[in-house]
Amino acid sequence: DAAAASAASLSARRTTPRERPARAAMSAAVAHAGGSSEDLSTLVDLDALQGELDGALGQVDMWVARRELSIKEAVLEHKDTMVAAEELKVELREKEETSVVASRELRRRRAGEQADLDGLREEATQLRELGKGLPEELQTSREHVHFERTELERETAALAGDEMVKAQVLQAHHSAVDLYRRRLGLRFEIGEDQEFRFFFRLVDPADHEREFMVAVRVKDEGGYEVVDCAPEVEVAALLEACNRTDNLSGFVRGVRMAFRSLVAAEEMPGLTSHAVAANGAADVAPPADVYSTTSVASIGDMLEMLPLQ
């Protein structure tokens, strides 16, 4: 009995309030069996039983926790569903109000259109009555419409002819630009500051692709000014003559000849400046397959065909 009481006391100290009823029942069963401490140890393994009870209670606690979590999630889901339902309710109410307004507007428009239709029917009836008595005026109107149609077709044909002429002129300009590029190595660009940029190739007989450039811009007070030149050559006299005579094509020809003179000076560094100028003015002999087909002087004649603005 003392051993049983000691075991019951130990179990009571190690148990929680929830476990104590089970412990008390176990102690009562042991006491009722009555026996020595050795018989009690043989009959019941208290530690194993305590472990099983702890495991069972742990599973119960886990189940309760899962159920509580599931209930909380269900509550949250229900709240979300209620919020969505309320939003849908508000949206449907707004759509209902919009539909009512649209329905009223539609009825109003239909009433107005019906009134217009009735007026048009009445007007058509009146016109039908008038048309029966006005065959001559109708014939006159038909003749007038036929005349207007004929005049319109004639004017359309004339406009088409003008457009064709403009297209031919534009094609001629494009052909001229292409000819400058292929046969003279000359191309044009409009810079960011609205300056005209002239690029020259086929200037250096030793390097046909070497490119020379001069850029001019129209001044606000009139005339031209040089904003860039690569490589640098003396163009002050050419620019002065261009502004005096308003002959931009002559300026371009002169600049190309100046570039040719520069190339000649590079090839024959021993020449004097007068000899270089004479050599450039004589238009240094270009390669036969490219340069001999068109002279430098013909650039100006072609430039006069090209609208630079």
Side-chain angles (χ1 to χ4, degrees):
D1 293 339
S6 177
S9 177
L10 178 61
S11 299
R13 286 196 303 270
R14 294 172 60 183
T15 57
T16 63
R18 188 187 302 176
E19 298 169 344
R20 284 171 187 167
R23 289 286 191 179
M26 180 185 68
S27 299
V30 173
H32 178 71
S36 63
S37 60
E38 295 178 357
D39 295 336
L40 181 62
S41 301
T42 304
L43 179 64
V44 178
D45 188 347
L46 296 179
D47 292 335
L49 181 60
Q50 179 64 40
E52 292 177 0
L53 288 174
D54 292 342
L57 289 174
Q59 292 179 357
V60 171
D61 290 340
M62 290 179 61
W63 179 83
V64 170
R66 287 196 297 269
R67 291 295 298 171
E68 290 178 351
L69 179 60
S70 177
I71 291 172
K72 290 180 180 179
E73 291 177 349
V75 170
L76 291 176
E77 183 178 358
H78 176 69
K79 289 182 179 179
D80 293 340
T81 303
M82 292 299 294
V83 171
E86 187 64 25
E87 293 177 352
L88 180 60
K89 182 179 178 181
V90 173
E91 182 180 355
L92 291 175
R93 189 172 299 162
E94 292 177 352
K95 289 184 177 180
E96 180 182 5
E97 294 175 356
T98 303
S99 299
V100 170
V101 174
S103 177
R104 291 175 182 173
E105 178 64 19
L106 181 60
R107 286 196 296 270
R108 186 189 64 79
R109 288 177 56 188
R110 287 186 62 183
E113 291 174 354
Q114 184 63 41
D116 293 340
L117 180 60
D118 294 339
L120 290 173
R121 287 175 177 173
E122 181 64 24
E123 184 178 353
T125 301
Q126 295 176 1
L127 290 175
R128 191 179 297 111
E129 293 297 327
L130 289 174
K132 292 179 180 179
L134 299 175
E136 294 181 358
E137 292 186 7
L138 180 59
Q139 181 62 29
T140 302
S141 297
R142 289 175 177 173
E143 293 175 355
H144 180 70
V145 169
H146 178 71
F147 174 77
E148 291 292 337
R149 183 182 295 111
T150 303
E151 287 295 314
L152 179 61
E153 291 175 353
R154 185 182 61 80
E155 292 177 0
T156 301
L159 289 174
D162 292 341
E163 291 297 328
M164 184 179 297
V165 171
K166 292 179 180 179
Q168 291 175 350
V169 172
L170 180 61
Q171 181 61 36
H173 289 169
H174 283 302
S175 299
V177 171
D178 185 63
L179 180 63
Y180 303 156
R181 183 176 60 255
R182 289 186 296 104
R183 306 304 297 174
L184 299 177
L186 177 64
R187 62 184 180 90
F188 315 90
E189 286 184 4
I190 303 296
E192 294 181 356
D193 297 329
Q194 298 301 309
E195 74 274 13
F196 300 122
R197 291 182 172 271
F198 300 90
F199 295 88
F200 304 86
R201 291 185 303 106
L202 307 180
V203 174
D204 187 349
D207 185 0
H208 297 177
E209 297 302 318
R210 181 182 177 185
E211 203 165 48
F212 301 75
M213 185 275 295
V214 64
V216 297
R217 179 173 55 201
V218 179
K219 297 186 294 186
D220 294 337
E221 63 273 17
Y224 299 94
E225 62 178 346
V226 175
V227 296
D228 195 6
C229 184
E232 291 187 2
V233 293
E234 180 59 40
V235 296
L238 296 172
L239 182 63
E240 190 276 333
C242 174
N243 287 328
R244 186 179 65 255
T245 61
D246 194 22
N247 184 2
L248 183 60
S249 62
F251 172 78
V252 173
R253 289 198 306 270
V255 171
R256 189 175 193 277
M257 294 178 66
F259 286 142
R260 293 293 299 277
S261 298
L262 178 64
V263 171
E266 293 173 351
E267 294 176 350
M268 294 171 286
L271 292 180
T272 63
S273 59
H274 293 290
V276 169
N279 193 39
D283 196 20
V284 176
D289 60 338
V290 176
Y291 290 85
S292 60
T293 56
T294 307
S295 67
V296 175
S298 65
I299 297 176
D301 299 332
M302 292 184 178
L303 280 173
E304 292 173 355
M305 296 171 55
L306 181 68
L308 295 178
Q309 296 181 354

